[in-house]
Amino acid sequence: MLNEKVAELLNTQVNKEFYSAYLYLAFSNYFSEEGLNGFSNWYLIQAQEERDHAMLFVQYMQNNDAKITFEAIGKPEFSAEKHIDVLNAGLKHERYVTGLINNIYGTAYEVKDFRTMQFLDWFVKEQGEEETNANDLIKKMELFGSDPKSLYLLDQEMAARTYAAPSLVL
Ligand SMILES: [Fe+2]
């Protein structure tokens, strides 16, 4: 049996990961409307990854006989006057998610739930990568976003991203 508090936080995280997928799909829509199909593709794949994260939390809870309760997924909210506003919103969101993962980890640590800590190790590493990716994107957009030709090439780079299933297998 999972600790009650740990189980509650894991349950909440399922919703947070699905919200992340929803948020990134909204980003994908925004860039599609802007005619930047490469960026739209990049965030579409990002959304798929977030859905995978949610599924991993569900699977982990099922494997440990924890009761799962689904709540409504919030409406994705972000304001974008410029392209870079979306990228900044992405980084802010990833930092928020890192805090959530760390909080679950800290709770698991307190109750000596080593199994959940090991499960979360993958997410700790993943969050590091997510923040790095979001940061790199912002830097690229700052450098090249104001020049149409460079933005076109950057969009092509973003179009090259392909989906890969998560490396974590439960
Ligand atoms: Fe995630």
Side-chain angles (χ1 to χ4, degrees):
M1 278 290 283
L2 290 176
N3 168 274
E4 201 179 317
K5 183 68 188 162
V6 171
E8 190 188 316
L9 291 173
L10 289 170
N11 190 85
T12 302
Q13 195 61 28
V14 173
N15 189 283
K16 300 285 183 183
E17 298 293 343
F18 275 123
Y19 174 80
S20 298
Y22 221 31
L23 180 68
Y24 288 132
L25 269 184
F27 288 4
S28 178
N29 293 340
Y30 165 81
F31 281 116
S32 177
E33 284 167 20
E34 289 290 303
L36 290 170
N37 291 335
F39 278 86
S40 180
N41 168 67
W42 199 92
Y43 280 112
L44 192 73
I45 289 164
Q46 192 67 23
Q48 288 174 292
E49 284 197 357
E50 297 302 343
R51 175 209 57 204
D52 289 340
H53 295 169
M55 304 290 264
L56 286 167
F57 278 98
V58 169
Q59 199 187 336
Y60 179 76
M61 291 185 76
Q62 286 182 357
N63 290 354
N64 287 280
D65 286 330
K67 184 174 163 49
I68 305 169
T69 310
F70 287 151
E71 302 294 341
I73 299 165
K75 182 181 174 184
E77 304 276 9
F78 67 99
S79 60
E81 284 173 30
K82 292 172 287 166
H83 297 142
I84 200 159
D85 295 340
V86 177
L87 308 192
N88 280 315
L91 177 60
K92 192 177 159 207
H93 183 69
E94 286 305 330
R95 285 180 176 155
Y96 166 67
V97 173
T98 297
L100 296 173
I101 298 287
N102 288 348
N103 184 43
I104 309 172
Y105 205 108
T107 306
Y109 177 81
E110 277 171 25
V111 299
K112 293 190 164 61
D113 179 354
F114 302 114
R115 189 188 301 163
T116 297
M117 285 160 67
Q118 193 184 44
F119 165 69
L120 289 174
D121 278 338
W122 184 87
F123 285 92
V124 171
K125 188 160 173 278
E126 175 74 7
Q127 280 312 120
E129 287 168 13
E130 298 287 22
E131 286 188 35
T132 301
N133 290 342
N135 238 328
D136 286 352
L137 268 187
I138 289 167
K139 281 183 200 151
K140 280 183 187 172
M141 189 61 102
E142 279 172 352
L143 282 169
F144 310 119
S146 55
D147 172 54
K149 281 182 206 157
S150 303
L151 181 61
Y152 178 76
L153 291 174
L154 184 55
D155 190 57
Q156 297 226 305
E157 185 186 315
M158 302 293 274
R161 184 180 185 188
T162 53
Y163 170 74
S167 53
L168 176 63
V169 178
L170 292 178

